[in-house]
Amino acid sequence: MDVGAYLSRIGYQGPTEPTLETLRGLHRCHLFSVPFESLSVHCGEPITLALPLLYDKIVCRGHGGFCYENNGLFLWLLRALGFRVVGLAGRVRNRFTGRLGPPRDHLVLLARLGGRGFLCDVGFGDGFLEPLRLEPGLEQPQEGGTFRLGLAGGVWALERLRAPGEEGRVLYTFTLEERELGDFAAMCCYHQNAPSSIFACKSFCSLPQPGGGRLTYMGWRLIATRGGARTETPLQPPEIPALLQRTFGAQLSGTLVPKDQDIQPPPEGEEMGPAPPQ
């Protein structure tokens, strides 16, 4: 871990002491600099959960990644800076099927500061921009929306609220059982190959935008969202690599094969959770 190179990669120039201020700054900088994407899957580059490989891919070669990559590397950075932080396993609510994914579907982080827990996640996509206090029922408004954590039977649920005080929409669930990066190896393989995984079914690359909104490449489209408005621009395959480089700073590792297939229901026998509350 070359901490200086990592901080340069995400454009962070603030203090590095293990404080909440530092954690917030690092979290935001990572989200705005490192895309949430599935490009390697569609460029024929297998993803292996080894920290030196993830560091080379994201810091040295300027790529992004999905949850195991972005959060796995961010966990390494935080520990190198002296934070008390662990990995946790989550199950994402698939926005296409409305159901929870298999166990260890998602890697999320928990940092401990001053006796309090703070949820961190730089590998989810359209989620929270700053760490959330691990406190059930607390509404936490921020630039990316208003979020709330629920707790029932030892299972936490992250919700995005339509408006403060109103009903929330579950984004994912998780427990506080500590996990290591290697615990997600099987699910990393699943997400690269399963027809019920968004990463296998869709080539995409996404970043939040300063001042609000999000810019996303998916398949043969560029999608911009801001303030509830959505615009789509069709793309021709030859122009996609240059657009990815120009718009997201994404360096392709090979020839991209665009893909935007429907996500299939999981095969019978694959463990899936019930549909979360809408």
Side-chain angles (χ1 to χ4, degrees):
M1 167 66 72
D2 182 338
V3 170
Y6 196 138
L7 299 183
S8 178
R9 166 71 177 92
I10 64 174
Y12 180 78
Q13 298 179 332
T16 56
E17 295 79 11
T19 66
L20 182 55
E21 176 190 2
T22 300
L23 185 63
R24 284 174 173 157
L26 292 169
H27 199 276
R28 288 184 65 93
C29 283
H30 197 291
L31 281 170
F32 280 94
S33 302
V34 181
F36 177 64
E37 46 105 325
S38 65
L39 300 178
S40 292
V41 177
H42 304 281
C43 285
E45 179 186 25
I47 298 169
T48 302
L49 298 184
L51 286 175
L53 296 179
L54 301 185
Y55 177 88
D56 177 69
K57 176 183 177 181
I58 293 174
V59 176
C60 300
R61 294 193 283 136
H63 291 238
F66 53 27
C67 68
Y68 309 129
E69 300 174 280
N70 286 341
N71 280 328
L73 196 62
F74 194 58
L75 172 64
W76 191 16
L77 173 68
L78 293 180
R79 285 178 172 171
L81 293 175
F83 285 92
R84 295 173 53 218
V85 57
V86 297
L88 309 174
R91 303 176 70 181
V92 174
R93 178 189 183 276
N94 188 303
R95 67 186 180 93
F96 297 97
T97 66
R99 301 185 66 84
L100 293 176
R104 305 183 194 180
D105 182 47
H106 185 53
L107 167 62
V108 63
L109 308 180
L110 179 64
R112 298 280 185 184
L113 288 165
R116 288 181 171 177
F118 292 88
L119 193 71
C120 302
D121 194 343
V122 296
F124 181 67
D126 190 15
F128 53 91
L129 298 180
E130 296 186 0
L132 298 175
R133 282 173 55 182
L134 190 74
E135 183 174 331
L138 178 66
E139 294 187 8
Q140 304 185 58
Q142 52 179 252
E143 183 182 333
T146 298
F147 300 88
R148 181 174 61 204
L149 290 167
L151 176 61
V155 177
W156 292 79
L158 172 66
E159 299 175 298
R160 184 197 301 275
L161 306 186
R162 294 178 175 87
E166 293 190 2
E167 182 180 355
R169 181 173 182 269
V170 174
L171 301 180
Y172 57 78
T173 64
F174 62 95
T175 69
L176 299 187
E177 182 181 356
E178 295 183 17
R179 297 290 187 178
E180 298 299 328
L181 188 59
D183 294 335
F184 299 89
M187 282 305 299
C188 181
C189 181
Y190 165 92
H191 278 307
Q192 295 176 75
N193 298 283
S196 51
S197 168
I198 185 175
F199 304 101
C201 292
K202 300 178 183 291
S203 58
F204 68 87
C205 185
S206 184
L207 278 174
Q209 298 300 294
R214 175 168 288 272
L215 199 60
T216 301
Y217 151 77
M218 182 172 290
W220 296 268
R221 298 171 292 156
L222 183 65
I223 306 165
T225 57
R226 182 181 293 271
R230 175 187 173 105
T231 61
E232 294 190 11
T233 303
L235 301 171
Q236 297 299 318
E239 66 182 311
I240 293 175
L243 178 137
L244 290 171
Q245 171 66 50
R246 180 177 67 252
T247 306
F248 301 97
Q251 305 276 352
L252 295 180
S253 54
T255 301
L256 177 69
V257 180
K259 192 174 183 181
D260 191 2
Q261 293 183 352
D262 290 339
I263 298 175
Q264 302 299 312
E268 187 174 350
E270 183 176 290
E271 185 177 355
M272 299 290 286
Q278 299 298 310

